[in-house]
Amino acid sequence: MLRLLLALILALFAAPALADAGDIAAAARGVVRVVIVAEGDEGVYPVSHGSGFVVAPGRIVTNAHVVAAAREDAALRVAIVPPESGGAVVGRVLAFDARRDLALIAFGETLRLPALAVAGGAPGDSGEVAAVGYPMNVDRAQGLTLDDIFSAQPPVKSRGDLSGSRSAREFASLLHTAPIARGNSGGPLLDSCGRVLGVNSFGAEGGGADGEFYFAVAAAELVPFLRANGVSPRVNTAPCRSLADLDADERARSEGEAAATRSALERRAAARRQAEDRARFEAQMRVLGEREDRLLASVALLLAAAGLGWWAAEKRAGGEWPPRNRWALTGAGAAVAGALFLQVTRPGIEEVDRLASAATENVAERAAARTGGGTMRLICRLDAERSRVTTSQTDDVRLDWQPSGCVNGRTQYGLSQGDWTRVLVPNDDQEVSVNRFDPARREFRTERYLLSQAGTEQARAARGAYSAPSCGVSEASRTLGEAQQSVLDLLPARPNERLVYECQPQRE
């Protein structure tokens, strides 16, 4: 209790933990350079460029002013340059909103990039933010050539603080201090969880002692613009919490559960001792009662034998034993034999131990029957307080669990160091998911790692080195548990998302 109280006090007075930098890096995988190109005698050359980000498969958002020239001049084209391995692809302007300074671009399916999630709800007036894009001054400082502009380059990330929201140029905008420059236009302004708060648009001119502030088109403008043009963005309204905060909560929760478990074990041990004492007492009373009953029966039989023997002796005639006297003597002998049998077979002290043990085992079997076992048919629902969700869907999960680690009759889980896990490495998306299930606690969780292209290729190579066994194969859980470790060793220390589900039996 003292440790829990100290942890609570520290949590109240400590500064809030910031999200892992991996969240911004994960979002940057979907940030592109948008280049306006022309074609002359010497070939294709860039006229200007800005930034953009993926909002759906084959769809990019940028500022309207970034692509305005290409929209007005049919000789100009739009090129999309990805942040990692690959060259430029041609884009096409689908929608253009000069008032909101937003444009929607379509690009070919040959370029597969992850879509960014949009932060839902009203933004606060403060908090850390990050601007991601392709500022021209950085390109110049690095001495990039024209060929470099058309080659994959990682975007630049800058951090600052949200300074409030206000209307500017007839649209809702966010004011912030994350530095941007020419070329950043159209790139995302992200919260600490890597979700889009707005689209960077322009900066406030400053000089001398003037502070520098920058404006982004707010998500409140972006979302309706996308929906009006046939794009359903992934909007996340969950509060942005860091994994460090969640881990601290989990430690406090685990300590509380451990204390509760110890208390429950102590109560069960006391109840078991009480049940054992009662069972032994009842066994003793039963054995004593049976011994006394047999003793009384033996005495009765001996008295009957004595009476029959006396009667036979008194009724004999002249030393002769008539038949009925012989029958009386036979009955007396049988009574004596019965008395002896009752005395020999009286239960001893060891019978007390046997009866007490049998009663205790019956109690344990009934308790085990109440806890259930075998196959579990469960419905798992997200525990939002323990989860960190940025882009994933949070629908309920139906889970049929077998003691062998077979899920839903088709997916084998691996067992390693007491944990049931299944590692998923998709062929298309740049991510790795690790599913875990705790049968004792009926807890299912998914942790997603959003990786770079290089990291994803390494994970796919490690995954391709083994084949996951099917359900029912001998030692499938142990074999898979060992094989999956090669992928787990490649993953970052912390995931980008953690979804924790509490599972309950399905209703038939």
Side-chain angles (χ1 to χ4, degrees):
M1 291 300 295
L2 288 176
R3 287 196 299 269
L4 289 175
L5 181 59
L6 180 59
L8 179 60
I9 293 173
L10 291 175
L12 290 174
F13 289 98
L18 298 177
D20 194 287
D23 298 318
I24 307 302
R29 302 173 309 153
V31 180
V32 300
R33 191 195 299 265
V34 180
V35 186
I36 307 304
V37 299
E39 186 172 359
D41 296 336
E42 297 182 357
V44 176
Y45 61 92
V47 175
S48 65
H49 86 260
S51 303
F53 58 94
V54 182
V55 290
R59 298 293 183 269
I60 286 172
V61 157
T62 188
N63 284 144
H65 73 260
V66 171
V67 296
R71 185 170 177 270
E72 296 170 358
D73 186 348
L76 300 178
R77 289 183 295 170
V78 178
I80 305 299
V81 184
E84 298 180 276
S85 63
V89 298
V90 176
R92 177 170 56 91
V93 179
L94 291 181
F96 186 89
D97 189 333
R99 184 185 67 83
R100 290 173 168 158
D101 196 21
L102 293 174
L104 183 65
I105 302 173
F107 62 96
E109 295 181 357
T110 57
L111 187 61
R112 300 183 65 89
L113 297 173
L116 277 65
V118 180
D125 288 332
S126 62
E128 186 184 41
V129 293
V132 184
Y134 293 87
M136 291 183 181
N137 55 4
V138 174
D139 294 337
R140 288 194 299 268
Q142 289 185 304
L144 297 186
T145 66
L146 295 182
D147 291 338
D148 294 327
I149 296 297
F150 290 110
S151 300
Q153 298 282 344
V156 176
K157 311 172 191 69
S158 61
R159 291 183 180 268
D161 293 299
L162 197 63
S163 302
S165 56
R166 58 170 62 185
S167 295
R169 297 184 180 177
E170 298 183 353
F171 59 79
S173 63
L174 300 176
L175 187 65
H176 65 89
T177 61
I180 61 174
R182 291 184 59 195
N184 273 109
S185 296
L189 180 69
L190 306 174
D191 68 7
S192 295
C193 286
R195 302 174 300 187
V196 178
L197 291 171
V199 184
N200 285 313
S201 182
F202 61 97
E205 295 183 0
D210 292 339
E212 294 186 353
F213 293 91
Y214 309 92
F215 291 87
V217 182
E221 301 281 4
L222 172 63
V223 172
F225 167 76
L226 293 175
R227 289 174 175 167
N229 290 285
V231 175
S232 297
R234 186 166 294 174
V235 179
N236 189 314
T237 59
C240 180
R241 300 181 62 196
S242 71
L243 280 171
D245 290 338
L246 288 180
D247 289 341
D249 290 346
E250 284 295 301
R251 285 192 294 271
R253 179 188 179 91
S254 297
E255 290 181 1
E257 288 181 348
T261 299
R262 288 193 296 271
S263 179
L265 289 174
E266 291 173 357
R267 290 195 300 270
R268 284 199 291 269
R272 182 179 179 85
R273 287 193 298 270
Q274 184 178 4
E276 290 175 348
D277 292 342
R278 182 176 181 84
R280 176 165 291 277
F281 174 76
E282 291 176 350
Q284 289 174 341
M285 296 304 295
R286 179 177 174 180
V287 169
L288 289 175
E290 189 170 349
R291 287 175 63 87
E292 290 176 355
D293 290 343
R294 291 192 177 218
L295 178 60
L296 291 175
S298 298
V299 171
L301 287 174
L302 290 175
L303 290 175
L308 288 172
W310 176 83
W311 183 85
E314 287 292 324
K315 298 298 183 178
R316 67 181 179 172
E320 296 292 333
W321 295 86
R324 62 180 183 180
N325 289 40
R326 289 196 297 270
W327 281 111
L329 289 175
T330 302
V336 171
L340 291 174
F341 175 78
L342 289 176
Q343 288 301 305
V344 171
T345 59
R346 278 195 310 166
I349 299 301
E350 67 279 358
E351 184 67 8
V352 175
D353 295 333
R354 189 189 69 80
L355 292 175
S357 177
T360 303
E361 289 177 359
N362 289 336
V363 171
E365 290 175 359
R366 289 195 297 272
R370 287 195 297 270
T371 60
T375 301
M376 294 188 288
R377 296 176 55 83
L378 305 171
I379 182 74
C380 305
R381 294 182 173 85
L382 184 75
D383 186 343
E385 293 297 321
R386 301 176 60 198
S387 300
R388 185 175 197 263
V389 186
T390 57
T391 60
S392 293
Q393 300 292 339
T394 58
D395 298 336
D396 293 348
V397 176
R398 295 187 178 275
L399 190 148
D400 293 350
W401 175 262
Q402 296 179 1
S404 63
C406 183
V407 173
N408 297 337
R410 61 181 182 274
T411 304
Q412 178 66 48
Y413 273 46
L415 180 62
S416 177
Q417 298 181 351
D419 290 335
W420 290 98
T421 61
R422 182 62 187 259
V423 178
L424 305 176
V425 186
N427 293 325
D428 298 326
D429 299 327
Q430 291 180 221
E431 64 180 53
V432 172
S433 296
V434 181
N435 293 343
R436 304 179 190 274
F437 182 66
D438 185 340
R441 301 173 64 183
R442 291 180 179 176
E443 178 182 289
F444 176 76
R445 65 171 56 197
T446 295
E447 293 183 330
R448 293 178 67 234
Y449 298 81
L450 307 180
L451 306 178
S452 65
Q453 284 189 2
T456 303
E457 290 172 0
Q458 288 181 335
R460 286 175 183 159
R463 174 61 182 85
Y466 68 88
S467 297
S470 302
C471 290
V473 175
S474 176
E475 297 190 352
S477 60
R478 181 188 62 80
T479 301
L480 183 58
E482 294 175 354
Q484 290 180 150
Q485 194 60 45
S486 61
V487 181
L488 295 174
D489 290 341
L490 298 173
L491 299 179
R494 286 180 175 171
N496 297 92
E497 284 191 307
R498 178 183 295 158
L499 282 65
V500 181
Y501 296 82
E502 292 185 353
C503 304
Q504 299 294 333
Q506 294 186 35
R507 294 181 179 179
E508 300 295 338

